[in-house]
Amino acid sequence: MMTVSVKYNDLMICKALQIKMESFNHSFEKIFVLNDISYVSKDIDWDDFYMDIVYFSIEVTDQYGNEELLYDFHFRIEDATATENHITARGIPIMRYDGNDYNQHVIDILSAWSKNQEIDFLSLDQDKKDAYCSSCRIWNSGTDKLNNTFYEVDLDLVKSDIDLFNLMGDVLLGSKGYLGHDSYTFEDRLGTIVNRVEADTIIRLKNYQNLKRSINSREWEYLDKAFRKEYKNLAFVLA
């Protein structure tokens, strides 16, 4: 579940379950729409916030009930309207420079999952595939145990680096499984998983040579070594 909170100083203005924020007029300005309103202050008058700053926080609860602050930022209101079901505003978002800039694709994916809607990551464009991977980390970060002793991954489906990490996470850890977003995080996650697998666990990498043709050469060199590495209780079969 996702919760979007908007505050003015310490005053809670409103809460919603969904947010859309899009570029406006090819400038720094953004238009945001809050949907599924769960709370609005009775004393709110959007005209009072003209050219003033409000504070957004977007929190998500993963499938295990863990809460995480997804994004937080300030927003300078230039224009706003409100109805019973949604609030629309235009202005300038002031992001925190921590490498965690707002990503609408992540918001949309997590919102879909919270409504039990499935997403075929292989059909997404590159930006959305990256967002899908980030969403998996948020949604399933606590999942790091294999439940079976044999897996087969068809690498013919891989067209890019992020395809590989999304596919491996999906096959090994189940729908929305996260197994890293690059070769380094992949091997780190794999190392954690290896310590928990059953004896003689096998992962068959079908069409393995396609991987060399499909991903970044540096990633390939690093991952090829990882797949050929001797892990206790785990064997990669390169088919």
mmCIF file of all heavy atoms in Angstrom, residues 131-155:
data_model
loop_
_atom_site.group_PDB
_atom_site.id
_atom_site.type_symbol
_atom_site.label_atom_id
_atom_site.label_comp_id
_atom_site.label_asym_id
_atom_site.label_seq_id
_atom_site.Cartn_x
_atom_site.Cartn_y
_atom_site.Cartn_z
ATOM 1 N N ALA A 131 12.821 0.825 -13.556
ATOM 2 C CA ALA A 131 11.894 1.126 -12.468
ATOM 3 C C ALA A 131 11.305 -0.151 -11.878
ATOM 4 O O ALA A 131 11.103 -0.251 -10.660
ATOM 5 C CB ALA A 131 10.782 2.044 -12.967
ATOM 6 N N TYR A 132 11.056 -1.135 -12.731
ATOM 7 C CA TYR A 132 10.541 -2.424 -12.271
ATOM 8 C C TYR A 132 11.530 -3.070 -11.303
ATOM 9 O O TYR A 132 11.146 -3.584 -10.240
ATOM 10 C CB TYR A 132 10.292 -3.338 -13.466
ATOM 11 C CG TYR A 132 9.686 -4.678 -13.125
ATOM 12 C CD1 TYR A 132 8.308 -4.869 -13.170
ATOM 13 C CD2 TYR A 132 10.494 -5.759 -12.754
ATOM 14 C CE1 TYR A 132 7.752 -6.108 -12.853
ATOM 15 C CE2 TYR A 132 9.938 -6.986 -12.442
ATOM 16 C CZ TYR A 132 8.569 -7.159 -12.491
ATOM 17 O OH TYR A 132 8.027 -8.383 -12.165
ATOM 18 N N CYS A 133 12.803 -3.021 -11.651
ATOM 19 C CA CYS A 133 13.840 -3.592 -10.793
ATOM 20 C C CYS A 133 13.878 -2.877 -9.442
ATOM 21 O O CYS A 133 13.953 -3.514 -8.390
ATOM 22 C CB CYS A 133 15.191 -3.501 -11.498
ATOM 23 S SG CYS A 133 16.508 -4.426 -10.692
ATOM 24 N N SER A 134 13.814 -1.550 -9.472
ATOM 25 C CA SER A 134 13.791 -0.772 -8.222
ATOM 26 C C SER A 134 12.561 -1.122 -7.393
ATOM 27 O O SER A 134 12.638 -1.229 -6.164
ATOM 28 C CB SER A 134 13.794 0.723 -8.537
ATOM 29 O OG SER A 134 14.971 1.106 -9.211
ATOM 30 N N SER A 135 11.443 -1.311 -8.058
ATOM 31 C CA SER A 135 10.201 -1.646 -7.362
ATOM 32 C C SER A 135 10.294 -3.018 -6.711
ATOM 33 O O SER A 135 9.786 -3.228 -5.600
ATOM 34 C CB SER A 135 9.022 -1.600 -8.335
ATOM 35 O OG SER A 135 8.880 -0.313 -8.908
ATOM 36 N N CYS A 136 10.944 -3.965 -7.390
ATOM 37 C CA CYS A 136 11.143 -5.298 -6.810
ATOM 38 C C CYS A 136 11.960 -5.215 -5.532
ATOM 39 O O CYS A 136 11.678 -5.914 -4.554
ATOM 40 C CB CYS A 136 11.833 -6.219 -7.816
ATOM 41 S SG CYS A 136 10.792 -6.732 -9.202
ATOM 42 N N ARG A 137 12.992 -4.381 -5.541
ATOM 43 C CA ARG A 137 13.828 -4.225 -4.339
ATOM 44 C C ARG A 137 12.984 -3.739 -3.170
ATOM 45 O O ARG A 137 13.101 -4.230 -2.035
ATOM 46 C CB ARG A 137 14.964 -3.244 -4.599
ATOM 47 C CG ARG A 137 15.864 -3.022 -3.376
ATOM 48 C CD ARG A 137 16.761 -1.814 -3.544
ATOM 49 N NE ARG A 137 16.013 -0.586 -3.687
ATOM 50 C CZ ARG A 137 15.454 0.069 -2.672
ATOM 51 N NH1 ARG A 137 15.521 -0.413 -1.433
ATOM 52 N NH2 ARG A 137 14.802 1.194 -2.885
ATOM 53 N N ILE A 138 12.102 -2.777 -3.436
ATOM 54 C CA ILE A 138 11.259 -2.218 -2.381
ATOM 55 C C ILE A 138 10.218 -3.233 -1.918
ATOM 56 O O ILE A 138 9.988 -3.417 -0.721
ATOM 57 C CB ILE A 138 10.562 -0.939 -2.895
ATOM 58 C CG1 ILE A 138 11.608 0.135 -3.197
ATOM 59 C CG2 ILE A 138 9.536 -0.434 -1.895
ATOM 60 C CD1 ILE A 138 11.091 1.266 -4.048
ATOM 61 N N TRP A 139 9.609 -3.922 -2.862
ATOM 62 C CA TRP A 139 8.489 -4.826 -2.566
ATOM 63 C C TRP A 139 8.934 -6.132 -1.920
ATOM 64 O O TRP A 139 8.238 -6.688 -1.070
ATOM 65 C CB TRP A 139 7.750 -5.125 -3.867
ATOM 66 C CG TRP A 139 6.433 -5.818 -3.701
ATOM 67 C CD1 TRP A 139 6.193 -7.160 -3.776
ATOM 68 C CD2 TRP A 139 5.156 -5.211 -3.437
ATOM 69 N NE1 TRP A 139 4.854 -7.426 -3.596
ATOM 70 C CE2 TRP A 139 4.196 -6.245 -3.380
ATOM 71 C CE3 TRP A 139 4.747 -3.887 -3.256
ATOM 72 C CZ2 TRP A 139 2.847 -5.988 -3.148
ATOM 73 C CZ3 TRP A 139 3.404 -3.646 -3.026
ATOM 74 C CH2 TRP A 139 2.476 -4.683 -2.974
ATOM 75 N N ASN A 140 10.096 -6.632 -2.317
ATOM 76 C CA ASN A 140 10.508 -7.982 -1.934
ATOM 77 C C ASN A 140 11.917 -8.037 -1.368
ATOM 78 O O ASN A 140 12.583 -9.057 -1.489
ATOM 79 C CB ASN A 140 10.453 -8.915 -3.158
ATOM 80 C CG ASN A 140 9.183 -9.743 -3.189
ATOM 81 O OD1 ASN A 140 8.614 -10.021 -2.151
ATOM 82 N ND2 ASN A 140 8.745 -10.100 -4.370
ATOM 83 N N SER A 141 12.366 -6.961 -0.767
ATOM 84 C CA SER A 141 13.761 -6.914 -0.323
ATOM 85 C C SER A 141 14.093 -7.978 0.715
ATOM 86 O O SER A 141 15.244 -8.361 0.878
ATOM 87 C CB SER A 141 14.084 -5.524 0.235
ATOM 88 O OG SER A 141 13.234 -5.223 1.333
ATOM 89 N N GLY A 142 13.077 -8.488 1.406
ATOM 90 C CA GLY A 142 13.342 -9.480 2.450
ATOM 91 C C GLY A 142 13.383 -10.915 1.950
ATOM 92 O O GLY A 142 13.672 -11.824 2.716
ATOM 93 N N THR A 143 13.102 -11.118 0.662
ATOM 94 C CA THR A 143 13.074 -12.476 0.120
ATOM 95 C C THR A 143 14.449 -12.871 -0.386
ATOM 96 O O THR A 143 14.946 -12.309 -1.347
ATOM 97 C CB THR A 143 12.064 -12.574 -1.046
ATOM 98 O OG1 THR A 143 10.785 -12.148 -0.587
ATOM 99 C CG2 THR A 143 11.973 -13.995 -1.556
ATOM 100 N N ASP A 144 15.094 -13.840 0.245
ATOM 101 C CA ASP A 144 16.425 -14.260 -0.197
ATOM 102 C C ASP A 144 16.645 -15.754 0.022
ATOM 103 O O ASP A 144 17.749 -16.213 0.276
ATOM 104 C CB ASP A 144 17.522 -13.459 0.499
ATOM 105 C CG ASP A 144 17.422 -13.491 2.008
ATOM 106 O OD1 ASP A 144 16.651 -14.321 2.526
ATOM 107 O OD2 ASP A 144 18.092 -12.687 2.666
ATOM 108 N N LYS A 145 15.569 -16.526 -0.097
ATOM 109 C CA LYS A 145 15.677 -17.969 0.098
ATOM 110 C C LYS A 145 15.035 -18.690 -1.083
ATOM 111 O O LYS A 145 13.924 -18.368 -1.494
ATOM 112 C CB LYS A 145 14.985 -18.391 1.395
ATOM 113 C CG LYS A 145 15.141 -19.885 1.722
ATOM 114 C CD LYS A 145 14.461 -20.219 3.031
ATOM 115 C CE LYS A 145 14.693 -21.683 3.422
ATOM 116 N NZ LYS A 145 14.191 -22.618 2.407
ATOM 117 N N LEU A 146 15.763 -19.668 -1.636
ATOM 118 C CA LEU A 146 15.221 -20.501 -2.700
ATOM 119 C C LEU A 146 14.382 -21.630 -2.091
ATOM 120 O O LEU A 146 14.792 -22.244 -1.113
ATOM 121 C CB LEU A 146 16.349 -21.102 -3.544
ATOM 122 C CG LEU A 146 17.333 -20.119 -4.188
ATOM 123 C CD1 LEU A 146 18.268 -20.863 -5.133
ATOM 124 C CD2 LEU A 146 16.599 -19.022 -4.947
ATOM 125 N N ASN A 147 13.235 -21.889 -2.688
ATOM 126 C CA ASN A 147 12.325 -22.896 -2.137
ATOM 127 C C ASN A 147 12.370 -24.228 -2.884
ATOM 128 O O ASN A 147 11.736 -25.189 -2.459
ATOM 129 C CB ASN A 147 10.890 -22.355 -2.142
ATOM 130 C CG ASN A 147 10.718 -21.192 -1.192
ATOM 131 O OD1 ASN A 147 11.216 -21.225 -0.077
ATOM 132 N ND2 ASN A 147 10.022 -20.152 -1.638
ATOM 133 N N ASN A 148 13.091 -24.264 -4.006
ATOM 134 C CA ASN A 148 13.206 -25.497 -4.781
ATOM 135 C C ASN A 148 14.687 -25.843 -4.961
ATOM 136 O O ASN A 148 15.578 -25.060 -4.586
ATOM 137 C CB ASN A 148 12.523 -25.347 -6.141
ATOM 138 C CG ASN A 148 11.048 -25.064 -5.997
ATOM 139 O OD1 ASN A 148 10.328 -25.768 -5.308
ATOM 140 N ND2 ASN A 148 10.577 -23.999 -6.645
ATOM 141 N N THR A 149 14.944 -27.016 -5.543
ATOM 142 C CA THR A 149 16.333 -27.430 -5.762
ATOM 143 C C THR A 149 16.709 -27.454 -7.242
ATOM 144 O O THR A 149 17.867 -27.735 -7.566
ATOM 145 C CB THR A 149 16.573 -28.830 -5.157
ATOM 146 O OG1 THR A 149 15.627 -29.749 -5.713
ATOM 147 C CG2 THR A 149 16.432 -28.768 -3.637
ATOM 148 N N PHE A 150 15.744 -27.162 -8.133
ATOM 149 C CA PHE A 150 16.064 -27.085 -9.559
ATOM 150 C C PHE A 150 15.326 -25.921 -10.197
ATOM 151 O O PHE A 150 14.123 -25.737 -9.981
ATOM 152 C CB PHE A 150 15.690 -28.370 -10.300
ATOM 153 C CG PHE A 150 15.962 -28.284 -11.780
ATOM 154 C CD1 PHE A 150 17.250 -28.433 -12.273
ATOM 155 C CD2 PHE A 150 14.928 -28.009 -12.671
ATOM 156 C CE1 PHE A 150 17.497 -28.327 -13.642
ATOM 157 C CE2 PHE A 150 15.172 -27.908 -14.036
ATOM 158 C CZ PHE A 150 16.463 -28.064 -14.522
ATOM 159 N N TYR A 151 16.076 -25.134 -10.978
ATOM 160 C CA TYR A 151 15.504 -23.992 -11.695
ATOM 161 C C TYR A 151 16.074 -23.974 -13.111
ATOM 162 O O TYR A 151 17.221 -24.385 -13.332
ATOM 163 C CB TYR A 151 15.860 -22.667 -11.018
ATOM 164 C CG TYR A 151 15.325 -22.525 -9.613
ATOM 165 C CD1 TYR A 151 16.034 -23.041 -8.526
ATOM 166 C CD2 TYR A 151 14.129 -21.869 -9.365
ATOM 167 C CE1 TYR A 151 15.545 -22.913 -7.233
ATOM 168 C CE2 TYR A 151 13.636 -21.728 -8.078
ATOM 169 C CZ TYR A 151 14.345 -22.249 -7.019
ATOM 170 O OH TYR A 151 13.868 -22.113 -5.748
ATOM 171 N N GLU A 152 15.286 -23.467 -14.044
ATOM 172 C CA GLU A 152 15.776 -23.258 -15.402
ATOM 173 C C GLU A 152 15.449 -21.826 -15.819
ATOM 174 O O GLU A 152 14.302 -21.389 -15.709
ATOM 175 C CB GLU A 152 15.158 -24.247 -16.392
ATOM 176 C CG GLU A 152 15.692 -24.060 -17.818
ATOM 177 C CD GLU A 152 15.223 -25.152 -18.766
ATOM 178 O OE1 GLU A 152 15.928 -26.184 -18.884
ATOM 179 O OE2 GLU A 152 14.143 -24.969 -19.374
ATOM 180 N N VAL A 153 16.480 -21.127 -16.295
ATOM 181 C CA VAL A 153 16.321 -19.746 -16.740
ATOM 182 C C VAL A 153 16.627 -19.693 -18.229
ATOM 183 O O VAL A 153 17.734 -20.048 -18.641
ATOM 184 C CB VAL A 153 17.281 -18.801 -15.977
ATOM 185 C CG1 VAL A 153 17.019 -17.353 -16.375
ATOM 186 C CG2 VAL A 153 17.132 -18.986 -14.466
ATOM 187 N N ASP A 154 15.659 -19.267 -19.036
ATOM 188 C CA ASP A 154 15.863 -19.180 -20.483
ATOM 189 C C ASP A 154 16.469 -17.823 -20.823
ATOM 190 O O ASP A 154 15.768 -16.809 -20.873
ATOM 191 C CB ASP A 154 14.540 -19.369 -21.222
ATOM 192 C CG ASP A 154 14.744 -19.434 -22.737
ATOM 193 O OD1 ASP A 154 15.907 -19.307 -23.186
ATOM 194 O OD2 ASP A 154 13.739 -19.586 -23.462
ATOM 195 N N LEU A 155 17.780 -17.792 -21.051
ATOM 196 C CA LEU A 155 18.488 -16.541 -21.305
ATOM 197 C C LEU A 155 18.249 -16.014 -22.720
ATOM 198 O O LEU A 155 18.713 -14.926 -23.050
ATOM 199 C CB LEU A 155 19.977 -16.726 -21.047
ATOM 200 C CG LEU A 155 20.321 -17.099 -19.596
ATOM 201 C CD1 LEU A 155 21.818 -17.284 -19.426
ATOM 202 C CD2 LEU A 155 19.800 -16.047 -18.635
#
